[in-house]
Amino acid sequence: MALLCAFALASCTGASPSRKERPDRASSSSDRTAGAEGTADATRTVQGGCGDTELRKGAPPGWNPKPAGFSDGAVGLPYVVGAGDQIMGYLWEHPMTPKAAALEEKDDGNKVLWYVRSERGGKPLAIRAHPRGVQAPVVKLSFPANSGPGRIYPSDIAVPRPGCWTFELSWNGHRDEVDLKFFEEKGNS
């Protein structure tokens, strides 16, 4: 009960809950049963998540029940939801690999379509990524608010090495965080 009160207080102040105050998503019926057409499509956790972020398939969060640009609700694509429930990202490539060469070439990274819960206000999505639990190395990425329909940011993301990476995401005064797992590229040892 204290956890729910802390979350409610954080929601009223506009602050995102920290990972320790994060609501238990398993008990959130709107996150687990809201389907694209109002049906009871189940959301399930799938293998490949890391840190505090689950990798999911099925119905998206209740605040994004019909993701813009998808006629079928994107139920087959894996996705992640931020710790503060302010952002979600569909992973077009799974499992993801570091694709370190894309850091220099600025393209051909892992495709992630980010949906934000609040207005973009024409501001870019800024990403600061680092290995979970340490502050270096840091990868900084930015994606413009020039896509539609809806509140979306298409992105190509890459990191220098495999592992669990924390992505700190910010846009128009809002922020959230996800942990993403990058697997060893095939042919590398």
Side-chain angles (χ1 to χ4, degrees):
M1 186 66 168
L3 181 62
L4 290 175
C5 291
F7 177 67
L9 183 59
S11 296
C12 292
T13 63
S16 295
S18 71
R19 291 194 181 276
K20 291 181 180 140
E21 296 168 335
R22 182 176 169 178
D24 178 12
R25 294 196 198 291
S27 64
S28 175
S29 62
S30 66
D31 279 354
R32 294 292 176 177
T33 61
E37 299 299 324
T39 61
D41 294 335
T43 300
R44 64 191 185 284
T45 301
V46 296
Q47 192 171 18
C50 72
D52 290 333
T53 304
E54 296 176 341
L55 187 60
R56 303 175 182 178
K57 282 190 176 181
W63 57 265
N64 194 20
K66 294 182 181 181
F70 291 103
S71 59
D72 65 358
V75 294
L77 286 176
Y79 68 90
V80 293
V81 176
D85 198 28
Q86 298 301 306
I87 195 166
M88 69 171 295
Y90 280 105
L91 311 181
W92 290 91
E93 300 175 45
H94 182 69
M96 293 192 298
T97 58
K99 297 192 176 186
L103 291 171
E104 295 173 16
E105 298 166 14
K106 303 294 183 202
D107 66 355
D108 199 32
N110 296 280
K111 310 271 187 263
V112 179
L113 182 58
W114 300 103
Y115 284 82
V116 294
R117 191 171 189 168
S118 50
E119 290 297 329
R120 297 180 301 173
K123 304 293 184 194
L125 175 66
I127 299 176
R128 180 181 183 276
H130 55 85
R132 181 172 160 77
V134 297
Q135 293 300 312
V138 171
V139 174
K140 292 184 179 180
L141 305 165
S142 181
F143 302 97
N146 63 359
S147 296
R151 300 176 183 152
I152 64 171
Y153 291 98
S155 69
D156 282 325
I157 60 173
V159 296
R161 63 179 187 239
C164 186
W165 285 71
T166 297
F167 278 63
E168 300 165 358
L169 305 112
S170 59
W171 67 98
N172 196 27
H174 305 281
R175 69 179 311 276
D176 210 337
E177 182 173 299
V178 298
D179 294 324
L180 295 174
K181 186 164 187 167
F182 292 84
F183 293 86
E184 186 74 35
E185 295 184 56
K186 292 179 180 166
N188 293 346
S189 47

